[in-house]
Amino acid sequence: MNTVHDCGGMDGFGPVVPPGYDGSEPVFKQEWESRMFAVFMATIIGGLFTDEAFRQSRERLDPALYLTRPYYEQWWFAVARLLLESGAITPGEFAAALAKAGEAGAAAVAEGAR
Amino acid sequence: MTRTPSQQPEPAEPERTATPPAGAGEAAAGGLDWTQSAQALASVAGLDIAVRVKALEELLTRKGLVDPQALDAVVDLYENRIGPRNGARVVARAWTDPAYRARLLADADAAIAELGFTGAQGENMVVLENTAEVHNVIVCTLCSCYPWPVLGLPPNWYKSMPYRSRIVREPRAVLAEFGTVLPASTEVRVWDSNSELRYMVLPRRPAGTEGLDAEALAALVTRDSMIGVAEARQPERAA
């Protein structure tokens, strides 16, 4: 893929070292990050997609989302997309699951999957 | 980015038995096409990510595709058991055992496995030795390839666009941000990792550590020194 992930040598991304950095940081800053990591591990080991497909799915992410969303959120998009494309989960199931997250989400998913 | 884990850590093993749904692994077998899936993602991108992760986990659990207890085990493994202390043991051994150091530089996979460190994202390792003449630093410009069995999961900055974009363009400036200022005479080599090849830096042994044993030496080996953005700690600063 030829998109924003291929950023080596690009200018303009600013400083690297976080303010107050002391050489350490928690493995996962928030619980959802650890759950997303584990969901990824379980689904790839379960054979639901390959590492190559996962990498490509990350790279296919809308560049605006890629540049603005946290790392493990990018994993959520990549995994969910592969599961929808393989048929492992159906658009209806996906919409229903996200309906728990809010009525707006359910309506939007149904619209997007139509 | 990642490889299919070929030597998976034990706690995740039960997931291998998960039954793939009909059509899994086949191209677009009844699933959405690329345009439809992009629309589906866009339609939920505004929802809180913590809620979306929970929804996905619960859906996959209901369908029998993941086991929540196995997920707990994976989290425990990577939060508590796989991390840079593993790599520090490799480095300390190399500092104290010339024959091991030679094996490590010649065949990193085998030498690292001697200490019991194997598993996903550690296949085809190459260890890069820092010297007075050459300083090595690693990156994955395309994403986040990193040697999990010896260093654990990468820190946020390693996966960030600033690091990935700049370390290959102006490595000395980035190293200086980390407080690492090298003599102009030291050559800086930047190694771009990929899914088939993973690097780890063997930092220089600090001066004045001749009397220390491997355990005390390991305490001087930081994660950042094995990425190459820092040097090993001086002994007086050791915990």
Side-chain angles (χ1 to χ4, degrees), chain B residues 153-175:
Chain B
L153 298 179
N156 256 355
W157 60 259
Y158 181 88
K159 304 176 289 193
S160 73
M161 300 296 272
Y163 184 70
R164 290 158 51 191
S165 62
R166 288 180 56 208
I167 191 68
V168 293
R169 180 80 170 249
E170 45 175 7
R172 286 177 194 274
V174 173
L175 293 177

Side-chain angles (χ1 to χ4, degrees), chain A residues 11-84:
Chain A
D11 291 321
F13 284 106
V16 172
V17 180
Y21 181 67
D22 69 356
S24 66
E25 63 178 54
V27 176
F28 302 109
K29 287 190 174 57
Q30 301 181 63
E31 191 190 0
W32 68 264
E33 297 179 335
S34 67
R35 298 314 289 182
M36 187 60 236
F37 174 76
V39 165
F40 160 78
M41 290 294 278
T43 47
I44 194 169
I45 293 165
L48 295 175
F49 49 84
T50 65
D51 58 315
E52 289 82 5
F54 177 68
R55 186 163 58 247
Q56 186 194 50
S57 187
R58 295 257 295 101
E59 296 174 0
R60 281 194 282 141
L61 183 58
D62 174 352
L65 293 177
Y66 189 99
L67 288 170
T68 53
R69 299 301 174 93
Y71 180 74
Y72 287 112
E73 181 170 355
Q74 296 171 23
W75 283 34
W76 187 91
F77 285 119
V79 170
R81 187 171 196 175
L82 291 174
L83 298 175
L84 286 165

